[in-house]
Structures are given as C-alpha cells and as structure tokens.
Amino acid sequence: VQLQASGGGSVQAGGSLRLSCVASGPPSRDYVLGWFRQAPGKEREFAAALRWNNGGTFYADSVKGRFSLSRENAKNTVHLQMNNLRPDDTAVYYCAYGRGLIASTIRSPDRYLYWGQGTQVTVSS
C-alpha cells in the first residue's frame, strides 16, 4: 500500500486548507485512512480517520467542528477539509493506513501499517 498526501500550505488564522490522501493498492475495503499531525518538538497525534467500508469518521476533540473528512470511492482518496485554522494546527500532517481498527485503537499511530510522506501546514496569527 502506498499513500500520497498533498494539499498543505501556509494560511492565516481563520483560513482553510484541504488535504488529500490517495491510497494505492489497498487489498480490501476493510481499512481505515487516518490523518495524524506532528508539530516541532511534539509527539505525533491523531487528527481524524475514516473507516472505508462504512464511511464512519472519527475526530480528535481539538479539530471537531473545524475539520471534516470526505472520500472519493473510485479514487481511493480521502480529503481532510480544515476550516477555521489556528496557529496551533501548524504541523506536518501525515496520512496513514490501518486495518482491523476499532474505536479504541483508531487514534493510536502505532496501529497503522503504512504512512505517507508528510505535508506541511503552517498557520500564522
């Protein structure tokens, strides 16, 4: 499985960005595409995830109401729409592929099998 993330950039606080993640070669429909982020000097943290077989979504409390996930089935692509961005959203954002994840594990980066390259999001005040 290969993941290609895109869409990062620099915006001012209150602005919006849309990240995309294309998954190539997923062996089944029972998988999860997650978004994690890592700010300088901090650990990688969960932002959002989408369960492919039923479209179920999960969000970190810090992004709930501001970020939303959507998908393009035919292209194995997940989009992360980020609105009302804040300076503390500044980080490198990674998409990741996982299987067999349940609600209690979907937020754990250690449970994901494949990772895309990061894309930088910078929000200035």
Side-chain angles (χ1 to χ4, degrees), residues 5-42:
S6 62
S10 298
V11 296
Q12 291 189 326
S16 299
L17 285 171
R18 189 176 82 155
L19 306 183
S20 299
C21 178
V22 181
S24 301
S28 73
R29 308 303 284 178
D30 180 23
Y31 64 93
V32 170
L33 285 183
W35 285 98
F36 292 79
R37 62 187 186 179
Q38 188 165 18
K42 295 188 177 181

Side-chain angles (χ1 to χ4, degrees), residues 1 25-33 50-56 58 71 76 97-102 106 111-113:
V1 178
S28 73
R29 308 303 284 178
D30 180 23
Y31 64 93
V32 170
L33 285 183
L50 183 144
R51 192 185 300 282
W52 200 264
N53 61 358
N54 63 8
F58 302 79
R71 63 178 176 175
N76 287 335
Y97 170 98
R99 292 183 62 190
L101 302 181
I102 58 177
I106 206 164
R111 298 301 186 113
Y112 286 75
L113 302 174

Side-chain angles (χ1 to χ4, degrees), residues 22-122:
V22 181
S24 301
S28 73
R29 308 303 284 178
D30 180 23
Y31 64 93
V32 170
L33 285 183
W35 285 98
F36 292 79
R37 62 187 186 179
Q38 188 165 18
K42 295 188 177 181
E43 293 186 353
R44 192 168 297 188
E45 67 173 12
F46 172 80
L50 183 144
R51 192 185 300 282
W52 200 264
N53 61 358
N54 63 8
T57 55
F58 302 79
Y59 298 96
D61 289 343
S62 58
V63 309
K64 201 171 293 184
R66 300 187 299 121
F67 291 12
S68 63
L69 289 162
S70 63
R71 63 178 176 175
E72 294 184 63
N73 290 349
K75 297 180 180 180
N76 287 335
T77 299
V78 168
H79 303 291
L80 181 66
Q81 178 66 42
M82 305 186 296
N83 297 327
N84 193 20
L85 283 161
R86 310 184 305 217
D88 60 358
D89 293 318
T90 295
V92 177
Y93 283 70
Y94 299 89
C95 64
Y97 170 98
R99 292 183 62 190
L101 302 181
I102 58 177
S104 62
T105 59
I106 206 164
R107 293 171 172 79
S108 301
D110 293 345
R111 298 301 186 113
Y112 286 75
L113 302 174
Y114 302 98
W115 292 81
Q117 89 291 359
T119 184
Q120 177 71 46
V121 171
T122 302

